[in-house]
Amino acid sequence: MNTNDLIDALARGAGPAERPHWRRKLAITLATGLVVAVALVAIWLGVRPDIGAARMPIMWKAIFSAAAAAVVLPLTVQLMRPGRPLGWRIGAVVLFVALCALATWIALMGEMPERRWEAWMGGSMPWCVVLIPLLAAPAAVLLTLLMRAFAPTRLTLAGAAIGALSGGVGAMAYAMYCPVDSVAFVTTWYALGIAVSAALGAVVVSRFLRW
Amino acid sequence: MADEAALRALLLKGLAGEEAAHRAFLTEAAALLRAYFRNRLRGRAEDAEDLVQETLVALHTRRDSYDPNYPLTAWLYAIARYRLIDFLRRAKHRDHAGLDGHDFGEPDPEYDAADAKHDIKVLLDKLPEKQRTAIRMVKLEERSVRETADATGLSESDIKISIHRGLKTLMRLMAGEQAT
């Protein structure tokens, strides 16, 4: 087929483009991902039994996770569409990671030396590194479906951004279960759980973004 | 060739529903894309034209991904670059020699519209019936969406959605055909 004929065919009856309404779609996607993750925690892991007394620690851990998601959000939005600059949005992620490291160090230095190890490791294996990516999966699937409707062109980065964003959503839900409230534990292992989600996203999600 | 501002104005008018502006945008874009792909696939004018057509369909079906607050050429070339990388990845998959075995001749100075290797009418047969009928009637037989809706008993929005989905699939088929 001649290219001019193709152009004629494409333009014919094209009409106005639909408005993409991406803000609304993104908000619905993230909210749905969060609700599914919370339901998974409630059904599968079980909400921590002292939820009444532990309202404050649960709240701050959820806010920390939401902040992580919020930091990755502008990057994800840029990567959904072709040819958009990333600039400060990468810097924001780097700054957030640096602040996590700083907060971990300050919190550990504030502990007695013999208690530092426990405050850091939470007294057992930090399962959140595994559980946060699992809880991130529903949001990641939904975000992948959403992004496929747009036109990502940097697929590895886009996959990583989807992974990190859904990692933040998964961590918000995980906060309801997680029995460890030490600051250093959260700023290390929650951040690492989100980083694992990002790495999985870069490898796995990016394959499903091809168009 | 049109500059950034003129091209952007055409696309925005096209997005608002002006068919002639959209056609003009695609024509200008095709010239830019032809130069871009021919420079990068020297001596392979047919592959370049395949990519031009594939990318035109991509620009058309994904035109709502353009945000007027950002430069148009960045958007256009990001899509072109993505299609090119996808093409090279498939070519590498096809023969491990990739581009190395090809003759890097002089770039073709004639940037005229040309025939691509694939025949869209043949590719259409691979689409689901509803999408195939909608594209054939509106895009090839020059009937209006209204007429097509009446003739098929489908709603107008159904026809539009079928065309949109069908074109997206068509772009993948155009890409896939090169891989075989």
Side-chain angles (χ1 to χ4, degrees), chain A residues 1-4 6-18 20 78 81-85 89 148-153 155 209-211, chain B residues 15-17 19 23 26 34 49 53 56 58 60 62-65 67 70 74-75 78-79 82-83 86 89 113-116 118 120 138-139 142:
Chain A
M1 188 182 215
N2 187 282
T3 301
N4 290 332
L6 175 72
I7 290 172
D8 275 340
L10 287 176
R12 189 172 298 131
E18 304 249 339
Q78 290 300 85
R81 269 87 47 91
R84 306 270 293 241
R89 298 164 190 88
R148 278 176 64 90
F150 289 83
T153 53
L155 301 190
L209 292 176
R210 279 182 70 177
W211 56 277
Chain B
L15 283 168
E19 203 177 301
R23 178 178 284 110
L26 290 174
R34 197 166 291 122
E49 201 60 29
Q53 296 198 357
L56 284 173
H60 172 77
R62 313 260 164 175
R63 61 184 176 146
D64 57 2
S65 73
D67 182 329
Y70 290 89
W75 174 78
I79 292 178
Y82 176 73
R83 297 298 347 150
D86 197 63
R89 188 164 40 194
D115 291 316
H118 47 236
I120 281 166
V138 176
K139 298 295 189 185
E142 310 191 22

Side-chain angles (χ1 to χ4, degrees), chain A residues 9 14 21 25 27 31 66 76 98 108 110 114-115 123 132 143 151 158 178 184 193 207:
Chain A
H21 296 298
K25 286 180 190 164
T76 317
L108 286 180
E114 61 273 20
R115 290 209 59 249
I132 286 175
L143 279 169
C178 173
R207 286 163 190 267

Side-chain angles (χ1 to χ4, degrees), chain A residues 14-35:
Chain A
E18 304 249 339
R19 287 188 53 78
H21 296 298
W22 62 268
R23 275 172 215 275
R24 190 199 303 165
K25 286 180 190 164
L26 189 58
I28 293 171
T29 302
L30 289 174
T32 313
L34 181 61
V35 168

Side-chain angles (χ1 to χ4, degrees), chain A residues 1 4 10 16 19-20 56-57 62 78-79 94 103 113 116 118 135 137 141 152 156 169 177 189 203 205:
Chain A
M1 188 182 215
N4 290 332
L10 287 176
R19 287 188 53 78
M56 284 313 286
Q78 290 300 85
L79 287 165
V94 173
R116 275 178 199 156
E118 205 207 322
L135 292 171
V141 170
T156 305
V169 171
Y177 160 80
W189 301 108
V203 176
V205 170

